[in-house]
Amino acid sequence: MKILVTGGAGFIGSHVVDAYIAAGHEVAVLDNLSTGRESNVNPAASLHRVDVRQLAQVQAAFAAFKPEVVNHHAAQSEVPKSVADPGYDAQVNVVGGLNVLRASVDNSVRKVIFSSTGGALYGEPDIVPAGEDHPIRPLSPYGTSKFAFEQYLGTFERTFGLRFTTLRYANIYGARQDFAAEEGRVVAIFASRMIEGKPLTIDGDGSQSRDMLHAGDVATANLAALERGDGGIYHISTGIPVTVNDLFRKLALLTEYKLEPRFGPSRKGDVYRIALDNQRAHEQLGWEPRIQLEEGLRLTVNYFREHIARSRA
Ligand SMILES: NC(=O)c1ccc[n+]([C@@H]2O[C@H](COP(=O)([O-])OP(=O)(O)OC[C@H]3O[C@@H](n4cnc5c(N)ncnc54)[C@H](O)[C@@H]3O)[C@@H](O)[C@H]2O)c1
């Protein structure tokens, strides 16, 4: 199958590209390399260095590659950036996304798979784990722009017959995550600082919890969505809340880190306790997470060890 992955040079998108190529698909990446890296792009994929905000460029890439399926990962993906500049967030996530949808319709794409968020849509959830039908009340412009695009997908299906599957991700961690990013990419930041023996500050008292899923499990969900889940919205998650203190302890063991953490002020607008029920994805996509937290953290620490050693050499 010919699949175009937008954002395929980024953290999660690059794992999805690798999984599609390993499954024998022909893949092209559309990315402007704003946060992604060319070195993340699988050598078997072609790279179109294009900004999704530029409709003519997007149309040209689609016309050249002629994808059957579009997997849309390109985004302004950081919550704090969306708070600081909601206009930019909407330009990329809404207007850019609409350019991808227009080009999909014009080039007879069969289906769009969209990487949405579970963590930034529900505010402080009424129940944990929250289901996909939980009331939507985003605390950030990022959550709102992702939800707006989900709504456009419904419109494009009804009006133009463009099929879609929306995958609402939990907190994803793994190799290639940017540990220098502003956003609280907790595993990448903790692992890299612990390996380097640097002091660490936990935002708040560390009792806040998140649903942590390894990027390898996200890749298998995107494989499943190629054939299943048309018109559906699915949590791609573990359903289990893990506290930040627990992550700290597990990573400290793996990295033999001896320093105690410092505790700073909690981040404004942060949810306190969240996890996302994944039963629907299990039933309808035939997907479930396979990488246990301890194993996922071990793989991630190994990656950062090698990455840090390479960048020092
Ligand atoms: N990381 C998470 O925990 C998480 C959770 C929920 C949803 N998501 C979603 O998953 C997707 C990937 O996130 P990520 O964590 O890999 O972030 P990332 O920043 O590594 O990936 C985003 C990619 O999009 C590209 N991009 C950004 N603006 C672009 C533009 N204007 N034109 C073309 N390409 C552009 C970047 O260069 C990058 O390669 C995003 O849609 C994000 O909203 C991520």
Side-chain angles (χ1 to χ4, degrees):
M1 199 184 288
K2 292 181 81 169
I3 309 169
L4 184 116
V5 181
T6 73
F11 159 49
I12 301 173
S14 65
H15 288 279
V16 174
V17 169
D18 290 349
Y20 283 164
I21 286 171
H25 298 295
E26 190 183 340
V27 178
V29 167
L30 188 157
D31 201 300
N32 71 347
L33 305 181
S34 54
T35 55
R37 294 198 189 94
E38 200 166 348
S39 58
N40 287 343
V41 179
N42 189 305
S46 56
L47 171 63
H48 299 259
R49 195 169 174 171
V50 164
D51 191 316
V52 289
R53 292 170 294 172
Q54 304 296 328
L55 179 61
Q57 290 180 19
V58 174
Q59 290 279 26
F62 272 66
F65 182 63
K66 303 213 174 308
E68 296 162 76
V69 169
V70 169
N71 184 300
H72 184 43
H73 272 78
Q76 187 305 104
S77 64
E78 295 189 37
V79 169
K81 249 187 216 168
S82 81
V83 175
D85 193 349
Y88 172 71
D89 178 86
Q91 281 293 329
V92 177
N93 294 359
V94 181
V95 178
L98 285 171
N99 289 340
V100 170
L101 292 189
R102 273 186 67 180
S104 297
V105 171
D106 292 351
N107 290 276
S108 308
V109 164
R110 181 172 67 78
K111 177 174 185 177
V112 174
I113 300 168
F114 173 52
S115 57
S116 189
T117 167
L121 281 193
Y122 307 123
E124 193 64 51
D126 299 334
I127 41 164
V128 175
E132 288 88 346
D133 297 326
H134 187 284
I136 306 289
R137 43 185 188 223
L139 295 171
S140 65
Y142 167 76
T144 302
S145 67
K146 291 302 245 186
F147 185 61
F149 190 74
E150 287 192 6
Q151 298 297 305
Y152 278 115
L153 282 171
T155 303
F156 271 67
E157 184 194 46
R158 290 186 289 276
T159 307
F160 303 109
L162 180 63
R163 290 193 267 169
F164 75 88
T165 294
T166 288
L167 305 177
R168 287 184 184 162
Y169 298 163
N171 279 63
I172 314 303
Y173 70 96
R176 304 182 197 139
Q177 190 159 29
D178 186 359
F179 56 84
E182 246 184 298
E183 167 69 332
R185 289 166 176 175
V186 60
V187 172
I189 294 169
F190 282 9
S192 57
R193 291 189 73 83
M194 286 177 178
I195 290 164
E196 298 196 281
K198 291 184 177 164
L200 256 172
T201 302
I202 292 178
D203 298 327
D205 66 3
S207 63
Q208 66 273 35
S209 51
R210 298 287 177 268
D211 185 326
M212 304 300 300
L213 184 75
H214 189 267
D217 280 326
V218 181
T220 58
N222 280 276
L223 274 171
L226 289 175
E227 304 293 349
R228 302 173 77 165
D230 283 9
I233 296 176
Y234 301 97
H235 282 162
I236 301 304
S237 60
T238 66
I240 302 165
V242 186
T243 69
V244 171
N245 285 333
D246 208 13
L247 284 172
F248 179 94
R249 280 191 293 270
K250 287 184 190 327
L251 286 165
L253 266 178
L254 284 165
T255 56
E256 296 171 28
Y257 184 73
K258 299 281 182 272
L259 303 179
E260 288 300 317
R262 287 192 296 236
F263 293 91
S266 50
R267 295 190 333 162
K268 199 169 155 32
D270 253 3
V271 170
Y272 181 64
R273 186 166 188 268
I274 190 162
L276 307 168
D277 190 330
N278 62 18
Q279 197 54 34
R280 192 189 284 177
H282 183 61
E283 287 165 10
Q284 296 181 17
L285 296 178
W287 173 87
E288 59 187 5
R290 300 233 177 250
I291 305 170
Q292 299 290 324
L293 183 61
E294 278 72 12
E295 172 64 359
L297 294 179
R298 196 182 58 75
L299 292 169
T300 309
V301 164
N302 287 347
Y303 166 82
F304 279 111
R305 270 207 187 105
E306 281 171 28
H307 181 78
I308 289 167
R310 236 181 297 126
S311 60
R312 276 184 185 150

